[in-house]
Amino acid sequence: MGPNAKKWLLVQSFAVAVVFVTGLMVVLLQDEEQFNAKNCFQRVVTSLSENWFGRNCRGGIDWTLHRVDELTMEQIITYVEWSNSSSCRLSHDFGGNVIFTAGVDGQKAVCLDPAVRPERASGAWPPVTKKKFNECLVYSFGIKNEWSFDEAMEALGCRVYAFDPSMNRTRHDHTSKIHFYDLGLSDRDEQRLDDKDVRKNWTMKSLDSIYRNLLGHGGKIIDYLKIDIERDEWIVLPQILSSGMMDHVRQMGVEIHLLSPTGNNTLDGIRQNIKILKSLEDYGLVRFDSKFNLWSNDLKIIDNAEWWGYDAYELVWYNSKLARTAREI
């Protein structure tokens, strides 16, 4: 073999080695990405027999280890926009109206996995479980004359109790299975008065007061709790936890508002709100959807500095403590 042939053989051997090493690195990186994708997110399978949260995730934040008091605004947005969509295998949006050139508004995500889905009325078809469950129960706070979600849940087989003190409507039945109350949700029973506008003199009640006293639902499961109450969520959510009412809620969808539309927001104040969300997930709620509100993208002030971005989000969880067992499915 001549010198040129030997050189050519060496070049070919080197090229083969480079291709092999490159291919091996690609495979290893794909495996690592698949491992991270599987373990960086909490996932609860249909039977809820498995529950894990990934650690040391490449390119992500382990929220179980990160101190909320140290989060930057960018990290807060990352946390809020984390959808954890793999935790629910079958999620659908119910309700909503298409707004020309803007998108869809008013829809709420519902997890339909058998372990956590709302119970269908007895005899419903198709049968999604081996057993026939009772009529499902929905509490819907914040209507604003937009009934698409409530009507969609009625079509699913649910009885809906709707609440809104701002509509200037008295108690009535919107349909045979949608019952309206001119009440607002708060952390206590109170009369909220407005000296400038008597139309804003509202009767407010806590969730446990409505559940136990007004409606007499003690012992029942609220299959879906919708909360859209324009920043009052931050006073309501801690009370729902402390009162034990979360033990009776299977799924919950909340529109959260990170920033105040007026005045100067502080990063520490926003962190306090994030602590409330974290307390829900520490309790056992599993997030499965996050969407920003299209109409919340505007200029805000944080610690005297301008900040532009979305500050309202639709977050949805299911309660892992109320998941049906494999025997019940």
Side-chain angles (χ1 to χ4, degrees):
M1 180 181 295
N4 290 335
K6 289 182 179 180
K7 288 182 180 180
W8 178 243
L9 181 60
L10 288 173
V11 170
Q12 286 183 317
S13 300
F14 178 78
V16 170
V18 169
V19 170
F20 175 79
V21 171
T22 302
L24 181 60
M25 291 178 63
V26 169
V27 170
L28 291 175
L29 286 173
Q30 287 177 341
D31 287 343
E32 182 184 359
E33 289 175 358
Q34 291 174 359
F35 174 84
N36 285 328
K38 182 183 295 183
N39 290 279
C40 283
F41 301 101
Q42 190 175 26
R43 172 177 170 79
V44 179
V45 298
T46 300
S47 65
L48 295 182
S49 60
E50 298 177 80
N51 190 343
W52 66 86
F53 197 99
R55 297 179 179 272
N56 301 320
C57 301
R58 185 170 61 86
I61 297 174
D62 183 353
W63 303 112
T64 64
L65 299 178
H66 218 83
R67 288 175 51 85
V68 176
D69 290 334
E70 298 173 352
L71 291 178
T72 65
M73 192 61 193
E74 290 74 17
Q75 290 173 325
I76 287 172
I77 295 302
T78 299
Y79 171 69
V80 171
E81 292 186 349
W82 171 58
S83 67
N84 194 29
S85 58
S86 64
S87 66
C88 175
R89 297 174 64 192
L90 182 61
S91 173
H92 284 307
D93 286 344
F94 281 67
N97 292 294
V98 177
I99 308 300
F100 180 64
T101 73
V104 180
D105 186 39
Q107 79 281 10
K108 306 294 177 185
V110 180
C111 183
L112 298 178
D113 286 357
V116 295
R117 61 162 293 139
E119 294 183 348
R120 298 252 336 233
S122 180
W125 186 263
V128 295
T129 62
K130 296 177 182 178
K131 295 185 178 181
K132 296 177 181 178
F133 293 104
N134 297 322
E135 183 179 64
C136 57
L137 180 61
V138 174
Y139 283 16
S140 179
F141 291 94
I143 307 301
K144 294 176 259 186
N145 293 299
E146 207 288 281
W147 296 93
S148 63
F149 168 77
D150 310 86
E151 292 167 351
M153 295 305 288
E154 178 190 25
L156 183 66
C158 299
R159 187 170 296 274
V160 181
Y161 293 85
F163 304 85
D164 196 322
S166 69
M167 290 168 52
N168 295 315
R169 297 285 305 277
T170 58
R171 175 178 170 178
H172 68 278
D173 290 340
H174 178 70
T175 70
S176 62
K177 288 191 175 184
I178 301 178
H179 313 292
F180 176 81
Y181 292 79
D182 56 339
L183 301 172
L185 184 63
S186 184
D187 61 341
R188 69 195 72 184
D189 291 2
E190 62 180 349
Q191 291 296 129
R192 187 174 295 180
L193 304 178
D194 190 317
D195 295 334
K196 297 180 180 179
D197 189 349
V198 296
R199 293 174 300 177
K200 294 183 179 180
N201 292 342
W202 297 341
T203 299
M204 313 294 290
K205 290 185 178 295
S206 65
L207 181 63
D208 55 327
S209 177
I210 292 171
Y211 173 80
R212 301 181 195 281
N213 302 326
L214 178 66
L215 300 179
H217 286 161
K220 293 187 177 181
I221 296 298
I222 302 172
D223 288 276
Y224 200 98
L225 172 61
K226 187 205 85 174
I227 299 177
D228 186 356
I229 54 177
E230 304 304 326
R231 295 179 174 82
D232 274 358
E233 65 271 12
W234 301 121
I235 65 172
V236 165
L237 292 173
Q239 195 276 336
I240 293 177
L241 266 181
S242 64
S243 67
M245 274 304 301
M246 197 61 71
D247 295 341
H248 304 282
V249 177
R250 180 167 279 126
Q251 293 190 41
M252 181 172 69
V254 183
E255 182 175 78
I256 66 164
H257 304 80
L258 292 178
L259 306 176
S260 171
T262 59
N264 183 30
N265 298 275
T266 66
L267 187 56
D268 284 339
I270 298 169
R271 287 169 177 155
Q272 295 307 308
N273 293 339
I274 296 302
K275 285 183 179 180
I276 295 174
L277 299 182
K278 186 69 164 52
S279 69
L280 296 174
E281 292 168 354
D282 289 343
Y283 159 84
L285 295 192
V286 179
R287 194 187 308 186
F288 65 89
D289 193 67
S290 173
K291 297 183 181 73
F292 57 76
N293 185 307
L294 289 168
W295 290 269
S296 69
N297 185 23
D298 52 12
L299 182 66
K300 299 291 193 304
I301 304 298
I302 303 176
D303 290 327
N304 297 313
E306 292 185 349
W307 181 85
W308 190 281
Y310 297 101
D311 72 288
Y313 289 83
E314 297 278 357
L315 301 184
V316 194
W317 301 265
Y318 58 73
N319 190 341
S320 61
K321 297 182 179 181
L322 292 180
R324 302 178 184 95
T325 64
R327 184 171 297 180
E328 294 172 318
I329 295 176

